[in-house]
C-alpha cells in the first residue's frame, strides 16, 4: 500500500505540475482545465492502465473517421492524375489509378490512401451514360455518402456536370470545380502567339470562360474555380484547392483529413504541426506513467520507444520518409546526399533508434548546457541512460525531446516545400 501511495502521488505530480493548463492540447475536451480534471478522474478511478487506454484512444481516434472524396469528369480530364496526386502515388505504384488509358468510366472505383485507408478517393462515372442517367444517378451512386465532390474538366463544364452540381448542392454537400491541364493551354498559346503571349492573360481567359459557363447554376453563393495542371501540382491552384478542402471540413473530421493528406502545402504543414504539438502532451503522459513506476531497465526502453515511434510518425506526416525524399531527389536530378546538403536537412542526421536518439540528444544537450544548471541538466538526461526517475522528470524530458524533433522536422518540410515552389517557377 505504501508503494502504491507513492506511485499515485508521483503520477499526480506529473498531472498537477506538468500538464499544461492553457495549451491547445485539450483537443476535443474544450478548455484545458476540463482536460486536467478529466485525466485526474480517469487516474483516480482506473489508475495508470485507464489513463493509457484513454491516451491511446485520443491519439488514434482520427484513424476511424472516414473521409470520402468523389471525383467526377469525362475521360481524359485528369481524374486519375488528381487521385494519385492527393494519395501521394504515381501511376506505377500499387493501388494507384490508371493513367493514360483510353476508357470511359462505367463503374464506381475506390482508391484508399496506402498509409491512411480512412481517406478514400472515388472515381465516379459521369452522368448521361445508359447505366447512369439523370433519373437514377443519385440513387445508384448514393451521393449521400460522399463528403466532397471534385468536378474536373480540361475544356468546359458540360450540362451534365452543371446538373449534377445542382443535385449535390441541394444535398448540402461541398463541391469544387477544377479546370485541369492549364499548363498545356499556356504552352499552346505561347507557341501560337510568341510575341504577345502572357501566362497571366491565358489563365485569366480560362477562369473567365469557366465562370461564364457556370452561371447556369444560379446558386446563391460564389463559385470558386481552381485552375490546375497535375503534372505540376505546385503551380496554379492545386494547393489552394487542398487548403480549402481542409478549411471546409466539419470540425469532427478536420483532424482526420489534415493527418491523412500527404501532398504538403505550407498551410498544411502548419496545421499538421499544431496537431502534432498537441500529441506531445499525450505521449509525455505515457512516458510519465513509465517514469512514475520505477522498473529497472524497462524505464529507459519505454521512453526511447515512445520517442522513436512518435518521431517516425512525424517523419511520415511531414514527407520526410526515406522513400519520399529519394523520389523527390531523383525528380530534382540529385542524389539523396546532395539533397540533404543543398537544403541543409537537419532531420537526416537523427537516427531513429535507441542509439541514434541517445547520441543526438546528448550532443543537443551539450550545446544547450548553458540553459541548465549542471545538476538540473543531468537530471533531465537521466531517462535516456536507463535510470529510474520520477514521472515528472520523464514527462519533462519526453516533452522537450519530442518538441525538438518536431521543430527540426517541420523546418525541413518547409525547406523542401519552398524548394519545390522555387524549382517549379
Amino acid at each position: 500500500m505504501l508503494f502504491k501511495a507513492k506511485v499515485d502521488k508521483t503520477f499526480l505530480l506529473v498531472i498537477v505540475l506538468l500538464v499544461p493548463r492553457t495549451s491547445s492540447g485539450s483537443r476535443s475536451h474544450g478548455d484545458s482545465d476540463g482536460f486536467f480534471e478529466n485525466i485526474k478522474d480517469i487516474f483516480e478511478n482506473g489508475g495508470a492502465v485507464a489513463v493509457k487506454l484513454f491516451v491511446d484512444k485520443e491519439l488514434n481516434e482520427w484513424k476511424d473517421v472516414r473521409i470520402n472524396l468523389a471525383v467526377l469528369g469525362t475521360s481524359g480530364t485528369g481524374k486519375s492524375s488528381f487521385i494519385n496526386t492527393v494519395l501521394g502515388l504515381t501511376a506505377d505504384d500499387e493501388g494507384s489509378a490508371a493513367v493514360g488509358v483510353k476508357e470511359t468510366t462505367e463503374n464506381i472505383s475506390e482508391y484508399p490512401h496506402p498509409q491512411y485507408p480512412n481517406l478514400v478517393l472515388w472515381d465516379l462515372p459521369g452522368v448521361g451514360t445508359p447505366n447512369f442517367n439523370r433519373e437514377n444517378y443519385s440513387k445508384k451512386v448514393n451521393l449521400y455518402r460522399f463528403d466532397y465532390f471534385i468536378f474536373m474538366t480540361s475544356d468546359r463544364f458540360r450540362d451534365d456536370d452543371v446538373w449534377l452540381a445542382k443535385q449535390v448542392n441541394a444535398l448540402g454537400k461541398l463541391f469544387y470545380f477544377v479546370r485541369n491541364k492549364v499548363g498545356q493551354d499556356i504552352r499552346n498559346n505561347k507557341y501560337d502567339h510568341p510575341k504577345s503571349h502572357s501566362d497571366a492573360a491565358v489563365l485569366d481567359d480560362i477562369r473567365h470562360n469557366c465562370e461564364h459557363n457556370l452561371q447556369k447554376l444560379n446558386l446563391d453563393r460564389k463559385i470558386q474555380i481552381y485552375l490546375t495542371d497535375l503534372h505540376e501540382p505546385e503551380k496554379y491552384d492545386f494547393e489552394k484547392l487542398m487548403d480549402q478542402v481542409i478549411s471546409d471540413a466539419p470540425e469532427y473530421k478536420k483532424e482526420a483529413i489534415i493527418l491523412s493528406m500527404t501532398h504538403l502545402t505550407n498551410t498544411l504543414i502548419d496545421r499538421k504541426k499544431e496537431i502534432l504539438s498537441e500529441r506531445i502532451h499525450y505521449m509525455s503522459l505515457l512516458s510519465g506513467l513509465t517514469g512514475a513506476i520505477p522498473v529497472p531497465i524497462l524505464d529507459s526502453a519505454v521512453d526511447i520507444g515512445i520517442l522513436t515511434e512518435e518521431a517516425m510518425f512525424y517523419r511520415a506526416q511531414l514527407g520526410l520518409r526515406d522513400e519520399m525524399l529519394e523520389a523527390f531527389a531523383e525528380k530534382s536530378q540529385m542524389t539523396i546526399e546532395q539533397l540533404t546538403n543543398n537544403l541543409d536537412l537537419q532531420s537526416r542526421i537523427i537516427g531513429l533508434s535507441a542509439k541514434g536518439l541517445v547520441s543526438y540528444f546528448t550532443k543537443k544537450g551539450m550545446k544547450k548546457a548553458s540553459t541548465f544548471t549542471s545538476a538540473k541538466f543531468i537530471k533531465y538526461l537521466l531517462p535516456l541512460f536507463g535510470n529510474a526517475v520520477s514521472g515528472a522528470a520523464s514527462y519533462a524530458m519526453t516533452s522537450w525531446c519530442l518538441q525538438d524533433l518536431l521543430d527540426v522536422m517541420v523546418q525541413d518540410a518547409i525547406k523542401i516545400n519552398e524548394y519545390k515552389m522555387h524549382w517549379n517557377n
Side-chain angles (χ1 to χ4, degrees), residues 1-51:
M1 291 298 292
L2 288 176
F3 176 73
K4 183 180 186 300
K6 183 178 179 181
V7 170
D8 289 355
K9 183 178 180 181
T10 303
F11 183 73
L12 287 176
L13 182 66
V14 176
I15 301 296
V16 174
L17 297 180
L18 296 172
V19 174
R21 292 296 196 96
T22 57
S23 75
S24 59
S26 55
R27 293 162 68 89
S28 60
H29 298 287
D31 64 281
S32 55
D33 284 337
F35 168 71
F36 160 76
E37 293 297 339
N38 191 28
I39 291 288
K40 188 175 177 180
D41 289 344
I42 292 170
F43 180 78
E44 290 177 343
N45 291 323
V49 173
V51 174

Side-chain angles (χ1 to χ4, degrees), residues 337-393:
E337 291 77 16
Q338 289 172 327
L339 177 68
T340 299
N341 293 332
N342 291 346
L343 300 188
D344 188 28
L345 302 181
Q346 292 296 303
S347 64
R348 295 288 299 171
I349 69 174
I350 305 173
L352 296 189
S353 64
K355 182 178 179 181
L357 288 172
V358 167
S359 175
Y360 171 74
F361 283 115
T362 300
K363 294 175 183 177
K364 194 86 174 180
M366 296 292 285
K367 292 178 182 179
K368 297 192 175 215
S370 61
T371 63
F372 298 86
T373 65
S374 297
K376 185 176 182 181
F377 175 70
I378 291 171
K379 175 185 175 183
Y380 280 141
L381 200 58
L382 283 177
L384 292 178
F385 293 100
N387 293 272
V389 293
S390 70

Side-chain angles (χ1 to χ4, degrees), residues 306-421:
I306 288 172
L307 292 179
T308 304
E309 180 181 353
E310 193 67 357
M312 291 177 69
F313 184 66
Y314 297 167
R315 184 170 279 182
Q317 283 290 315
L318 296 167
L320 300 173
R321 292 204 318 266
D322 289 345
E323 58 269 29
M324 294 177 175
L325 292 180
E326 287 169 0
F328 177 59
E330 183 178 355
K331 185 177 180 180
S332 305
Q333 299 180 329
M334 288 187 282
T335 65
I336 190 70
E337 291 77 16
Q338 289 172 327
L339 177 68
T340 299
N341 293 332
N342 291 346
L343 300 188
D344 188 28
L345 302 181
Q346 292 296 303
S347 64
R348 295 288 299 171
I349 69 174
I350 305 173
L352 296 189
S353 64
K355 182 178 179 181
L357 288 172
V358 167
S359 175
Y360 171 74
F361 283 115
T362 300
K363 294 175 183 177
K364 194 86 174 180
M366 296 292 285
K367 292 178 182 179
K368 297 192 175 215
S370 61
T371 63
F372 298 86
T373 65
S374 297
K376 185 176 182 181
F377 175 70
I378 291 171
K379 175 185 175 183
Y380 280 141
L381 200 58
L382 283 177
L384 292 178
F385 293 100
N387 293 272
V389 293
S390 70
S394 183
Y395 179 100
M397 186 61 193
T398 303
S399 296
W400 180 72
C401 290
L402 287 177
Q403 190 62 60
D404 181 88
L405 289 168
L406 179 58
D407 290 344
V408 170
M409 292 189 191
V410 165
Q411 287 304 311
D412 279 0
I414 292 173
K415 290 175 186 176
I416 292 171
N417 208 47
E418 290 180 347
Y419 178 80
K420 285 179 179 179
M421 291 187 289

Side-chain angles (χ1 to χ4, degrees), residues 282-303:
Y282 289 83
M283 299 305 295
S284 299
L285 273 177
L286 292 180
S287 182
L289 284 170
T290 304
I293 305 173
V295 180
I297 303 176
L298 184 62
D299 185 71
S300 175
V302 172
D303 282 351

